[in-house]
Amino acid sequence: MTRSEENYLKTIFHLGGGDSKSITTNAIAEQMETKPSSVTDMAKKLAEKGLVNYVKYQGVSLTDSGVKTALSIIRKHRLWEVFLVEKLDFSWDEVHEVAEQLEHIKSEKLIDKIDELLNFPKYDPHGDPIPTKDGKFQERDKKLLSEMAINATGVCVGVKDSSVPFLKFLDKNKIALGNSIKVLDKEDFDNSLRIQLEGKEMRISHQIASNLYVKKND
Amino acid sequence: MTRSEENYLKTIFHLGGGDSKSITTNAIAEQMETKPSSVTDMAKKLAEKGLVNYVKYQGVSLTDSGVKTALSIIRKHRLWEVFLVEKLDFSWDEVHEVAEQLEHIKSEKLIDKIDELLNFPKYDPHGDPIPTKDGKFQERDKKLLSEMAINATGVCVGVKDSSVPFLKFLDKNKIALGNSIKVLDKEDFDNSLRIQLEGKEMRISHQIASNLYVKKND
DNA sequence: ATCTATTTTTAGTTTTGTCTAAATTTAATT
DNA sequence: AATTAAATTTAGACAAAACTAAAAATAGAT
């Protein structure tokens, strides 16, 4: 399994190709900043190896084996992210790039020991779930803040956009995972929200609210 | 700097090419389990980049820039080895292979943080010195056990052969770095030694003694 | 149902790092 | 000094992963 093959599988999974949904070569190319013709080549190679289903002009989806491989890479990526934040004091906007490299290290023992050192975390620094060793992947029950009703309360548990600028924005405004949130009011005009964050009242734009995940209180 | 280039520089350094000594393409090829013709190709490329001095038919040596790069890779390799042993309970015979991968991760911040986490260790698990961030590389004053005089005492500080079988042999015989050693007697016939290791008397073969480094007591 | 516009694939190149086989240079021996 | 053996380089080829440009297939619109 080459690094490039691993990156393709990961990308196809992230685009939804794990649910036997067909992903177009164009979509993959765009996501990976490469050309569709390169994707076609790789699709053939991965199909040859039994990792994807590929039908000409129809796109690709992951086989069971492909899903398993993709999940193991995602598991490594997210565990390394936790490691960088928890053990080495990286900030959550710095971890992605380094984890992109670390995820390709080949040693089952290494990643299992890292998992143990971190006390088997369930979520990465951006709130994304970490697949278990045996490939179980459990999405949390969460909602975009922008979709919550007035007066509903919850806890901030993740980000949809995990780009550096967005993460830095959240830091600057002291919005962090684990914070309690209550929706006070919604502005029809620009869809901005008035919220209470850890008791403090503040106003946030629709763009922010539609990129923050909240776990609703029951 | 590609992974392959890094591996060449590291190998040339280990073969002594850091002291403006010329290393033959054959020696490099043998060490790296590749072919001399491949080494020639890479020698040209590295010379092009100013990392080695290469004269046709004469071999290669590292430039200052090449030494600096080699040391930074060796630094990473050895720090990762310490990390694996100290933080993840790897045994000293398991670390090399994984460190060969980790040494190529590109992030200055990552390795500096690992260094800090480990409290700036000076030696790796096999007793080899860890270059500092600014490229200082200090060999310890050490001697092969086989070269010590009768009645001399010291501390076991390193191994010359760091192959898995030798390291496992040492484990099995409870010989570890940090152990105190006194040479009791030398057998002329087979060059075996009687030694006192941490107070316990034992006999070891010449082959073992000529692969164990000792720091003599003053 | 036909015609475009778009998407996707094919064919042919490129780069990196490797290899084999042949040619060349150096070193060793007489 | 000539000859041979060994080491080294050159030339040509290959595989992986990418690209460009051209060809083919699909989908959308009338």
Side-chain angles (χ1 to χ4, degrees):
Chain A
M1 178 79 15
T2 68
R3 179 172 296 226
S4 185
E5 287 171 347
E6 291 185 348
N7 284 331
Y8 273 96
L9 293 178
K10 194 180 50 156
T11 300
I12 295 166
F13 184 91
H14 281 136
L15 290 173
D19 314 314
S20 66
K21 180 180 143 204
S22 250
I23 311 298
T24 65
T25 49
N26 243 9
I28 297 166
E30 186 168 345
Q31 181 74 25
M32 298 185 73
E33 300 189 300
T34 181
K35 303 290 167 181
S37 55
S38 307
V39 178
T40 301
D41 288 346
M42 185 56 85
K44 286 177 183 168
K45 204 212 290 194
L46 293 174
E48 197 67 39
K49 295 193 174 192
L51 293 161
V52 304
N53 307 113
Y54 169 57
V55 184
K56 264 194 198 183
Y57 297 102
Q58 307 269 115
V60 297
S61 63
L62 297 174
T63 63
D64 286 354
S65 162
V67 169
K68 211 180 131 213
T69 307
L71 284 176
S72 98
I73 299 156
I74 290 167
R75 167 178 160 78
K76 288 194 272 180
H77 183 101
R78 292 183 179 168
L79 281 171
W80 279 115
E81 288 197 342
V82 176
F83 172 78
L84 295 172
V85 167
E86 295 291 315
K87 299 295 176 184
L88 302 187
D89 290 314
F90 276 60
S91 55
W92 66 344
D93 56 276
E94 295 174 313
V95 297
H96 182 75
E97 194 194 359
V98 183
E100 286 281 303
Q101 298 182 63
L102 288 163
E103 73 189 4
H104 298 292
I105 302 289
K106 282 166 182 52
S107 166
E108 193 157 351
K109 176 164 185 170
L110 174 59
I111 202 63
D112 289 346
K113 285 286 191 176
I114 289 284
D115 195 18
E116 187 186 332
L117 179 73
L118 299 171
N119 229 268
F120 309 104
K122 290 204 167 60
Y123 303 100
D124 80 8
H126 313 107
D128 295 315
I130 298 173
T132 60
K133 191 168 156 54
D134 56 318
K136 297 263 184 303
F137 180 73
Q138 201 169 341
E139 257 309 341
R140 179 150 34 185
D141 175 44
K142 69 194 179 188
K143 249 192 159 168
L144 287 176
L145 174 54
S146 57
E147 289 164 351
M148 287 178 67
I150 291 178
N151 283 323
T153 62
V155 176
C156 185
V157 295
V159 293
K160 185 173 178 199
D161 172 6
S162 53
S163 70
V164 172
F166 182 55
L167 298 176
K168 285 195 158 147
F169 171 88
L170 295 177
D171 282 345
K172 200 165 62 184
N173 289 278
K174 305 258 189 291
I175 302 172
L177 302 198
N179 287 173
S180 67
I181 287 197
K182 178 175 185 181
V183 179
L184 298 177
D185 201 9
K186 292 182 155 187
E187 179 60 64
D188 276 346
F189 175 62
D190 63 354
N191 285 305
S192 68
L193 301 184
R194 258 190 337 116
I195 64 170
Q196 215 169 46
L197 184 90
E198 292 280 303
K200 283 195 322 283
E201 200 177 313
M202 61 194 297
R203 172 169 297 281
I204 63 176
S205 69
H206 178 70
Q207 211 201 321
I208 303 305
S210 60
N211 277 299
L212 267 181
Y213 285 119
V214 177
K215 180 176 187 297
K216 270 201 319 190
N217 292 338
D218 358 69
Chain B
M1 177 82 12
T2 69
R3 178 170 300 224
S4 185
E5 288 170 346
E6 291 185 348
N7 284 330
Y8 273 95
L9 293 178
K10 193 180 50 156
T11 300
I12 296 166
F13 184 91
H14 281 137
L15 291 172
D19 314 315
S20 67
K21 180 181 142 201
S22 250
I23 311 298
T24 65
T25 50
N26 243 10
I28 298 167
E30 188 168 342
Q31 181 73 25
M32 297 185 73
E33 300 188 301
T34 181
K35 303 291 168 183
S37 55
S38 306
V39 178
T40 301
D41 288 345
M42 186 55 86
K44 287 177 184 167
K45 205 214 289 196
L46 293 174
E48 197 66 41
K49 294 193 174 191
L51 293 161
V52 304
N53 307 113
Y54 169 57
V55 185
K56 263 196 199 179
Y57 297 101
Q58 309 267 116
V60 297
S61 64
L62 297 174
T63 62
D64 286 355
S65 160
V67 170
K68 209 179 131 211
T69 308
L71 285 176
S72 97
I73 299 156
I74 291 167
R75 169 177 159 77
K76 287 194 273 180
H77 182 100
R78 294 183 177 166
L79 281 172
W80 278 115
E81 287 196 343
V82 176
F83 172 78
L84 293 172
V85 168
E86 295 291 315
K87 298 296 177 185
L88 301 187
D89 289 313
F90 276 60
S91 56
W92 66 345
D93 57 274
E94 295 175 313
V95 297
H96 183 75
E97 196 195 358
V98 183
E100 287 281 300
Q101 298 181 62
L102 287 163
E103 72 189 6
H104 299 292
I105 301 290
K106 282 166 183 51
S107 165
E108 193 156 352
K109 176 163 186 172
L110 174 60
I111 202 62
D112 289 346
K113 285 286 192 176
I114 289 282
D115 196 17
E116 185 185 334
L117 179 72
L118 299 170
N119 229 267
F120 310 104
K122 289 201 167 59
Y123 303 100
D124 80 8
H126 313 106
D128 295 315
I130 298 172
T132 60
K133 191 168 157 56
D134 56 318
K136 297 264 184 300
F137 179 71
Q138 202 168 341
E139 257 310 340
R140 178 148 38 181
D141 174 43
K142 70 194 177 189
K143 254 193 155 171
L144 287 176
L145 175 52
S146 57
E147 289 165 353
M148 286 180 69
I150 291 177
N151 283 322
T153 63
V155 177
C156 185
V157 295
V159 293
K160 186 173 177 200
D161 172 6
S162 54
S163 70
V164 172
F166 182 55
L167 298 176
K168 284 195 158 147
F169 171 89
L170 295 177
D171 282 346
K172 200 165 63 185
N173 289 278
K174 304 259 189 290
I175 303 172
L177 301 198
N179 286 173
S180 67
I181 286 198
K182 178 176 186 182
V183 179
L184 299 177
D185 200 9
K186 291 182 156 185
E187 179 59 65
D188 276 345
F189 175 61
D190 64 354
N191 285 306
S192 69
L193 301 184
R194 261 193 331 117
I195 64 169
Q196 215 170 47
L197 185 90
E198 292 281 301
K200 284 195 322 282
E201 199 178 314
M202 61 192 298
R203 172 169 296 282
I204 62 175
S205 70
H206 177 69
Q207 212 201 321
I208 304 304
S210 61
N211 277 299
L212 266 182
Y213 285 119
V214 176
K215 179 176 187 295
K216 270 201 317 189
N217 292 338
D218 359 69

